[in-house]
Amino acid sequence: MNKLYQTLTLPNGSVVKNRFFKSAMSVAFGTIDHRPTTKLITLYESWAEGGVGLSVTGNVMIDRRALGEPGNVVVEDERDLEMLAKWAKAGTKNNTALWMQINHPGKQAPKMVTKEPVAPSAIPLSGSLKKLFNPPRELNHLEIKDLITRFGKTAKIAKAAGFTGVQIHAAHGYLISQFLSPYHNKRNDDWGGSLQNRMRFVLEVYNEMRTQVGADFPIGIKLNSADFQRGGFTEEESMEVVQTLAESKIDLIEISGGNYEKPAMIGPEKESTKKREAYFLAYAEKVRKLIDTPLVVTGGFRTVSGMNEAIDSGSVDMVGIARPFALMPDLPNQIFKGTYEPVSLDRISTGVSWIDRNAPMLETSWYAHQLERIGRGLSPKQNLSAWSTLVHFFTQQGIHAFQKRRA
């Protein structure tokens, strides 16, 4: 337990009070016109008071024309600076670091919210996803430059509002991930082809952010270890990108993997993962031999011993936790007090097979329902029924309730 409560000094000198990292989770608490709400204030205040060291927000979008789901918060100017400041003030209580995760969905923008998605290349999503997403239009050079500027501007506004850092979302098949992948990026200009060209977009996004926020403001990134997709972004390429980012003095790298077509980040656990608890820990061990930049892996951590072992191994510097925070907002405090017990839940199910088959995101929505309860000032409810979640989300979003939700 002592290792989990050690401070962590980032490359820019910023200090995180402990090694608990609340990874981003989709909350979709924005208004109909994509502005922040009091639910966000209540939710992130709960996590700050619960003892987490670094809390990362759910996706904040850079462009109102490109949304990932209803309820996304969009920050493209200072119109909501006052509300953002209230969010930041609540989320940084108790000396908590609060980072805004900044993203663009690219072609992973459902047709219900984005009529004409954009992407590095005009390649539609495959398989059953075709019916949920419109085919994308290829970005031109000027549009790419505009998006880079938008990433930087959103980071600057986050700093002005009082967030203590930002995280670039370059994983899970969203726009930056699409640029990195040779499967999704078929361009033959300076933005495609070789890995050096394909990583140009993420490097320019990072450099633009650094220009707008300065050297002392933390910038992290969430990056795929691989896409797990034939012809996609490989582990070897990922390690080369990681080394380049480390040389650029990025402050923290969170490792993940997969995309909507190959969703490793929400798939079943391998037996080796269950034994070691953490997803992507083997990848982190390889990367640790290449760089000194602080690393975090998210997913799978359940026991205090598993968390301690990950830190003790030196492979990672923080333990990334997501869903358990939806059930125990004060998880770090519980561990500190010695009252923590891992939650073991059965598969979320209505008991009606055809409903479960046709609501593939039911489990994700069940956790989102828990987050909404916290955002309304209520306690999580571990025995919350799947039927309650069904009714809740159909009431809110109708037939779109269980389409792909962002991770």
Side-chain angles (χ1 to χ4, degrees), residues 15-321:
V15 178
V16 182
K17 69 177 183 179
N18 63 42
R19 303 305 179 95
F20 291 100
F21 179 99
K22 188 213 71 67
S23 188
M25 288 182 281
S26 172
V27 290
F29 285 175
T31 64
I32 194 170
D33 54 348
H34 312 293
R35 310 178 85 159
T37 63
T38 56
K39 286 182 183 178
L40 290 166
I41 295 170
T42 303
L43 177 62
Y44 284 84
E45 184 175 40
S46 178
W47 283 323
E49 292 176 343
V52 68
L54 198 166
S55 182
V56 182
T57 74
N59 295 274
V60 171
M61 296 299 159
I62 63 170
D63 191 337
R64 281 177 166 77
R65 299 167 298 179
L67 304 171
E69 63 183 328
N72 276 157
V73 171
V74 179
V75 175
E76 55 185 5
D77 52 43
E78 294 189 353
R79 73 181 72 179
D80 296 317
L81 189 60
E82 182 179 353
M83 196 65 173
L84 290 170
K86 291 179 180 179
W87 181 6
K89 183 178 180 180
T92 55
K93 285 187 175 180
N94 197 24
N95 194 30
T96 304
L98 177 65
W99 291 12
M100 180 186 289
Q101 186 186 72
I102 302 177
N103 196 10
H104 186 293
K107 62 184 169 187
Q108 287 187 169
K111 62 172 61 176
M112 62 177 172
V113 293
T114 302
K115 292 182 179 180
E116 186 184 56
V118 294
S121 300
I123 300 171
L125 291 169
S126 62
S128 62
L129 296 178
K130 284 185 176 181
K131 63 183 179 181
L132 302 178
F133 300 86
N134 287 322
R137 174 179 61 77
E138 181 172 302
L139 288 159
N140 64 44
H141 178 77
L142 291 178
E143 289 172 323
I144 291 172
K145 285 293 189 179
D146 175 67
L147 290 174
I148 291 167
T149 302
R150 284 173 176 269
F151 271 100
K153 186 173 183 179
T154 300
K156 183 178 180 180
I157 294 169
K159 180 181 179 180
F163 289 82
T164 62
V166 293
Q167 185 189 60
I168 302 166
H169 199 336
H172 299 177
Y174 302 131
L175 182 66
I176 296 177
S177 179
Q178 290 163 30
F179 267 97
L180 288 169
S181 171
Y183 177 89
H184 297 284
N185 182 351
K186 301 294 187 182
R187 302 178 72 96
N188 55 15
D189 58 7
D190 290 343
W191 304 99
S194 67
L195 177 60
Q196 287 67 35
N197 282 357
R198 285 184 277 120
M199 76 165 83
R200 180 183 171 194
F201 184 72
V202 67
L203 293 177
E204 291 209 13
V205 165
Y206 169 69
N207 289 331
E208 178 67 22
M209 284 186 172
R210 184 59 74 202
T211 297
Q212 296 212 32
V213 301
D216 297 332
F217 190 71
I219 300 176
I221 192 166
K222 187 168 193 167
L223 184 73
N224 273 0
S225 61
D227 290 346
F228 308 112
Q229 191 169 33
R230 181 174 294 180
F233 188 56
T234 67
E235 183 176 290
E236 293 73 22
E237 289 182 326
S238 177
M239 289 188 183
E240 190 169 338
V241 173
V242 163
Q243 287 179 276
T244 303
L245 288 166
E247 291 167 1
S248 300
K249 307 299 182 185
I250 202 158
D251 292 296
L252 184 69
I253 300 173
E254 180 185 5
I255 303 301
S256 193
N259 54 38
Y260 277 4
E261 292 167 308
K262 291 287 185 179
M265 66 282 191
I266 58 172
E269 296 179 57
K270 295 179 180 178
E271 197 58 39
S272 59
T273 298
K274 291 179 181 179
K275 290 179 181 178
R276 304 184 69 190
E277 294 196 12
Y279 298 119
F280 312 114
L281 193 55
Y283 174 90
E285 290 171 348
K286 297 176 185 177
V287 169
R288 175 53 76 215
K289 297 175 182 178
L290 304 174
I291 65 169
D292 295 324
T293 304
L295 296 173
V296 55
V297 296
T298 297
F301 288 115
R302 293 297 181 268
T303 66
V304 177
S305 61
M307 298 175 198
N308 266 316
E309 286 171 11
I311 298 295
D312 194 42
S313 72
S315 301
V316 296
D317 301 279
M318 302 192 77
V319 291
I321 301 170

